[in-house]
Amino acid sequence: MSSLVLRSLSILLGLFFIFIGIMKISPHISKDLHRDLRKNYVKYAKVFPLSTLLEFKIPSKWYRRSVGGLEVLCGLAMVLIPSHKIKNAANITLLLLMFLAVYSHYMVSDPFERSGPALVFTFMLIGRLVIWYQASRREAALAAAAQPTANGLKQE
């Protein structure tokens, strides 16, 4: 049951991030939304957390494109690649991007309608990691219980 939930959640989250990443990179899906994202990333680039630490101003165009590219890449990994290690690395990368998005929305005082989706997908990514952790622990416990025993002791 949990593997079905995990697989479904991975595919749905992956498809969502592919869609959102493409919208950040290209105006082919929606020109109005792409124009709105370009305008908003000018504000988000000004509050990028590492810009003050490194004394480097990141161009909003490259900030938007790199975030969109990472979202597409990680979304493709979550949809297409069967390895749990790669899926979890993509999940953690997307989770860090969502933390960055929530931080950016907070710093520019965006209304909740704008920051709400970032919060929802943050919790969904956390939930996917929790489901994977529980499923892997259950599989490890079942594998340990299935080990053959000799004279009442488990053989290693």
Side-chain angles (χ1 to χ4, degrees):
M1 175 70 178
S2 64
S3 65
L4 177 66
V5 171
L6 188 61
R7 201 171 314 139
S8 301
L9 197 54
S10 295
I11 291 170
L12 291 173
L13 283 169
L15 290 175
F16 170 78
F17 280 106
I18 291 168
F19 177 72
I20 294 299
I22 289 173
M23 284 195 334
K24 289 178 183 171
I25 295 171
S26 169
H28 292 301
I29 295 175
S30 171
K31 291 181 185 199
D32 294 334
L33 193 53
H34 180 73
R35 185 175 40 247
D36 189 40
L37 284 168
R38 284 178 36 201
K39 183 177 70 174
N40 286 327
Y41 265 85
V42 172
K43 296 186 294 186
Y44 301 150
K46 291 178 183 174
V47 297
F48 183 70
L50 296 178
S51 62
T52 56
L53 180 68
L54 301 175
E55 297 177 2
F56 174 74
K57 184 181 177 195
I58 186 166
S60 63
K61 177 181 182 179
W62 290 107
Y63 183 39
R64 175 180 46 83
R65 286 181 177 176
S66 61
V67 169
L70 275 172
E71 288 176 347
V72 170
L73 183 69
C74 291
L76 285 171
M78 292 198 50
V79 171
L80 299 176
I81 298 177
S83 169
H84 284 296
K85 288 181 182 180
I86 294 175
K87 284 184 187 273
N88 289 342
N91 192 335
I92 290 169
T93 303
L94 289 171
L95 191 58
L96 292 173
L97 287 175
M98 288 297 98
F99 286 143
L100 182 63
V102 170
Y103 171 81
S104 297
H105 287 298
Y106 176 75
M107 292 304 289
V108 298
S109 301
D110 272 344
F112 183 73
E113 293 84 32
R114 251 199 214 287
S115 59
L119 288 169
V120 168
F121 283 98
T122 299
F123 291 128
M124 288 178 73
L125 288 166
I126 291 170
R128 189 205 164 276
L129 282 176
V130 168
I131 292 169
W132 170 80
Y133 178 72
Q134 289 176 344
S136 65
R137 285 197 46 163
R138 186 176 327 119
E139 287 174 7
L142 289 174
Q147 283 185 348
T149 59
N151 299 331
L153 299 173
K154 288 186 179 180
Q155 293 181 353
E156 294 184 30

